[in-house]
Amino acid sequence: TLNAGDSYLVPDLVGMTLTTADAGAIQVELDGTVMGTAGKKGQIGESLSLDPQAIADRYNGHPG
C-alpha cells in the first residue's frame, strides 16, 4: 500500500502488474519520463501490465 507522496521502483521483471482502486492517483514514469497516470480519476485499475513495452504502448494510444 502506498500513501500520498510515496513512490515505488518496480523491479525489472517480466509479468509485474499494478492493481489500484484509483488509477488517476498513480503517476507512471518510464526511464525517468513521466508517462501520465495509470488511468482516469476514480477508475479501478486491475492487473495493468508494468512491462516497459506495455507502458509505452498504453501511453501512445495502443491499450494492448
Side-chain angles (χ1 to χ4, degrees):
T1 301
L2 298 176
N3 296 305
D6 287 352
S7 63
Y8 179 76
L9 183 61
V10 177
D12 189 11
L13 299 171
V14 174
M16 300 294 291
T17 62
L18 168 72
T19 298
T20 179
D22 186 356
I26 306 293
Q27 178 175 290
V28 177
E29 293 184 22
L30 179 61
D31 294 331
T33 300
V34 175
M35 304 300 286
T37 60
K40 296 179 182 177
K41 183 178 179 182
Q43 177 184 23
I44 295 173
E46 189 170 339
S47 297
L48 299 172
S49 175
L50 295 176
D51 293 343
Q53 188 61 56
I55 291 171
D57 288 348
R58 202 164 40 245
Y59 294 98
N60 288 316
H62 307 286

